[in-house]
Amino acid sequence: MSSLAPKVSPKNLILLLPGDFVGGNALIVCIDGINKDLLSTVSSRADKLLVLDNGESTTTAIDNIQHCEVECIKKEDINNLSSCSLVLYNGVIDAEFASVCLSCLLPDGYVMLVTKCAQIDESVENQSEPTTYSVDKVLKSTPSIKSFGFVFVASRTIEKYEDNHMLYCSVFKKVLLDPKLDRRLDSLQDVLNDRTYTTKILRIFDKVFSREGDPGFISTGGADVTQECLKKLDLQPGQRVLDVGCGAGGPLIQTAKKYKTHMIGVDISSNMIDAAAEATEKLQDLNIELEVCDIERREFPEGYFDAIYSKDVILHIVRKKDLFKKFLKWLKPGGKLLITDYCKTENEQFSDLMQAYMEKRANVWFLITPSTYGQLIKDAGFVNNDVQVKHDIFRECAVKENISFVNKKENLLKEFDQAFVDDWLDVWKKKVQIIDNGDLTWGVFYSEKAL
Ligand SMILES: C[S@@+](CC[C@H](N)C(=O)[O-])C[C@H]1O[C@@H](n2cnc3c(N)ncnc32)[C@H](O)[C@@H]1O
């Protein structure tokens, strides 16, 4: 994980509290104190708080709680607990307690961990202090109980301390593990981090897509094409905008600079969010929040965003219509949605070249035609829908990127090994071929939420 923290304030902890957590018992474990705003928000949504406290600092926060029953419990009571809808754990969780959380939670219940972490040092094996990586690993590797297990929802670096530590918050959900679905989605995060978007691949993408002084572009057309597409949103200063699958942050930074909007960038790949955090680190005057999250499991408050956009991301998502319904819910009335994405054409089957290409990209592409795409957005409840197939622009971009790659080859070889550069040159050459032979095209989708 990165040693850099995005610019966020502790109040952003509250935004991580899942929007669909309402009612039921909440177990609050306060090993290292508690954030009182977070506690107060939890108490406003839960029916009852069960508080396990190791210190005195929590007492005042608990005393201030009104309109919610509070029961202080002891450690030995923990194993008998059941039917909690949330566990809020402030401290360093271990495997044993993670199992307790799994058994005391209701299905679809959440664990929210708030931990002071050391920033990971990849060179140190078995680092003794908790790191973002080890915190998440405890939950991810909790053995399932009656086929229920934890899946990752979201995480944020909340605050960075002088002493090279940070406050880190991550959220997991208890779900019935469908081996075909949820484990696949979990492995999607690993596949994207470890195969599709390794830090080395991100560096070479950046060289191809980004311009000098305009970093963080890793998809079709770079800064210019992104800018052109986003015009349609007619963004205004101060509006709250969600960038779904924000990648290395190029589009998000460009938008925040141009429109002075409040940007929330989320991406399932921590490599991407690390890169975006690095790109935004010196841009403290911009209003940018970053979060690692699986957009399929995340819940934002209803009517929270003025606009949502997503550039070349939803190709990775199987249940697209469910996602569009969530977008509709998260938008304010009159809110705008802009999506660009890779699509398949009306061709019956993919060519062998295309099959091999998708295999090379770790087989995490789930493509549909632009017309199906438009229909799914409409069926989700959006109005004023506009579907545009931008095949020529897509081809033009791929050709330009291919040429730029060839021209930069000598320089790239100073930074990357020959086999890696040749491999990626070949990928770009083939990208033009699969566009030309009708396997792949590109759609731009604009929609609105009714007033
Ligand atoms: C081709 S990149 C585009 C990045 C960025 N939008 C841009 O235009 O530069 C696709 C991005 O989608 C992200 N992604 C894929 N599935 C996701 C999910 N379920 N939740 C959040 N992000 C996801 C990937 O990690 C990756 O960063």
Side-chain angles (χ1 to χ4, degrees):
M1 293 290 286
S2 161
S3 59
L4 298 159
K7 192 188 117 194
V8 287
S9 79
K11 73 176 188 318
N12 285 293
L13 261 177
I14 292 161
L15 188 59
L16 271 177
L17 193 65
D20 55 348
F21 150 67
V22 194
N25 293 341
L27 170 63
I28 316 286
V29 186
C30 313
I31 306 294
D32 295 338
I34 192 78
N35 175 290
K36 60 177 191 335
D37 293 335
L38 180 59
L39 186 66
S40 136
T41 310
V42 171
S43 70
S44 68
R45 294 216 218 144
D47 296 329
K48 183 175 178 182
L49 301 189
L50 306 163
V51 183
L52 177 71
D53 179 21
N54 244 19
E56 282 169 23
S57 63
T58 319
T59 320
T60 346
I62 292 172
D63 283 349
N64 286 334
I65 291 172
Q66 291 164 354
H67 317 299
C68 179
E69 199 185 329
V70 181
E71 183 185 334
C72 291
I73 58 166
K74 298 200 180 65
K75 200 154 184 233
E76 46 279 22
D77 302 331
I78 286 281
N79 286 323
N80 301 324
L81 288 181
S82 61
S83 21
C84 292
S85 43
L86 175 82
V87 178
L88 172 58
Y89 193 103
N90 208 91
V92 183
I93 196 161
D94 59 19
E96 195 184 336
F97 206 98
S99 274
V100 172
C101 295
L102 188 60
S103 61
C104 81
L105 275 172
L106 291 165
D108 291 331
Y110 292 97
V111 179
M112 187 168 178
L113 305 174
V114 184
T115 318
K116 190 176 176 191
C117 286
Q119 291 171 15
I120 197 161
D121 180 350
E122 312 268 355
S123 62
V124 182
E125 277 187 30
N126 301 323
Q127 189 155 335
S128 56
E129 294 186 275
T131 59
T132 55
Y133 172 73
S134 62
V135 165
D136 286 351
K137 197 162 175 220
V138 172
L139 271 272
K140 277 184 180 172
S141 52
T142 306
S144 60
I145 301 175
K146 295 186 183 154
S147 298
F148 280 96
F150 285 123
V151 288
F152 172 80
V153 176
S155 69
R156 283 187 185 210
T157 299
I158 300 297
E159 198 176 358
K160 192 180 165 202
Y161 302 107
E162 297 282 304
D163 61 355
N164 206 30
H165 281 75
M166 59 181 157
L167 195 64
Y168 176 72
C169 179
S170 52
V171 177
F172 287 80
K173 187 171 189 171
K174 173 174 170 171
V175 298
L176 190 58
L177 296 173
D178 172 347
K180 281 197 229 99
L181 203 61
D182 280 301
R183 280 307 175 202
R184 186 198 66 72
L185 285 175
D186 256 5
S187 60
L188 175 66
Q189 186 180 37
D190 298 335
V191 169
L192 292 179
N193 267 335
D194 303 340
R195 278 188 64 193
T196 320
Y197 303 119
T198 63
T199 46
K200 190 174 173 188
I201 292 175
L202 293 194
R203 277 195 288 124
I204 203 160
F205 274 22
D206 196 41
K207 302 261 181 261
V208 178
F209 289 114
S210 297
R211 287 188 300 237
E212 192 70 35
D214 232 350
F217 286 90
I218 54 141
S219 80
T220 309
D224 292 341
V225 170
T226 307
Q227 201 48 249
E228 191 53 39
C229 294
L230 291 188
K231 267 188 195 159
K232 191 98 189 177
L233 289 174
D234 188 26
L235 296 172
Q236 302 299 319
Q239 284 189 327
R240 192 184 285 136
V241 182
L242 178 66
D243 181 339
V244 176
C246 65
L252 168 100
I253 294 169
Q254 184 186 44
T255 310
K257 276 185 184 165
K258 187 165 162 75
Y259 298 101
K260 308 278 172 276
T261 38
H262 171 185
M263 304 301 300
I264 298 186
V266 301
D267 200 289
I268 196 171
S269 154
S270 52
N271 290 347
M272 290 288 190
I273 291 295
D274 282 355
E278 195 168 338
T280 54
E281 209 216 0
K282 294 204 176 78
L283 305 171
Q284 296 295 314
D285 54 324
L286 301 181
N287 196 356
I288 294 177
E289 293 175 38
L290 297 171
E291 175 178 311
V292 180
C293 95
D294 182 344
I295 199 65
E296 289 196 83
R297 298 213 186 99
R298 184 69 163 102
E299 280 300 336
F300 286 101
E302 202 168 328
Y304 195 67
F305 296 104
D306 296 284
I308 298 178
Y309 72 82
S310 178
K311 185 156 180 290
D312 306 346
V313 173
I314 296 169
L315 72 153
H316 293 304
I317 302 229
V318 182
R319 293 168 295 185
K320 297 185 196 330
K321 186 168 148 193
D322 290 349
L323 186 63
F324 299 150
K325 282 186 185 164
K326 296 217 282 185
F327 288 170
L328 189 76
K329 193 167 104 193
W330 300 341
L331 279 169
K332 294 177 183 170
K336 294 168 183 167
L337 174 70
L338 193 279
I339 296 171
T340 73
D341 212 2
Y342 287 23
C343 293
K344 67 178 193 174
T345 64
E346 299 291 341
N347 285 2
E348 291 272 297
Q349 277 188 329
F350 288 132
S351 68
D352 290 346
L353 186 71
M354 177 69 172
Q355 300 279 14
Y357 188 88
M358 291 195 294
E359 173 62 31
K360 172 101 192 149
R361 309 292 293 118
N363 257 341
V364 283
W365 285 18
F366 307 99
L367 305 180
I368 54 177
T369 62
S371 57
T372 308
Y373 219 115
Q375 191 60 47
L376 292 181
I377 296 176
K378 194 172 169 201
D379 291 348
F382 280 93
V383 297
N384 295 338
N385 303 299
D386 179 44
V387 174
Q388 305 232 358
V389 184
K390 300 274 188 184
H391 194 80
D392 293 347
I393 292 178
F394 191 44
R395 184 184 187 279
E396 199 183 298
C397 292
V399 170
K400 268 195 203 152
E401 283 148 14
N402 193 14
I403 294 170
S404 146
F405 211 124
V406 174
N407 291 342
K408 287 174 183 166
K409 188 173 174 186
E410 286 310 306
N411 273 338
L412 291 173
L413 284 171
K414 291 181 193 149
E415 200 179 327
F416 303 97
D417 54 276
Q418 177 94 43
F420 185 72
V421 172
D422 286 346
D423 211 26
W424 279 100
L425 256 172
D426 189 52
V427 169
W428 250 279
K429 204 170 101 198
K430 289 194 171 125
K431 185 172 176 185
V432 179
Q433 289 169 356
I434 55 177
I435 295 172
D436 279 344
N437 71 10
D439 278 312
L440 189 64
T441 192
W442 198 57
V444 180
F445 309 91
Y446 172 80
S447 296
E448 292 170 7
K449 176 170 176 168
L451 278 166

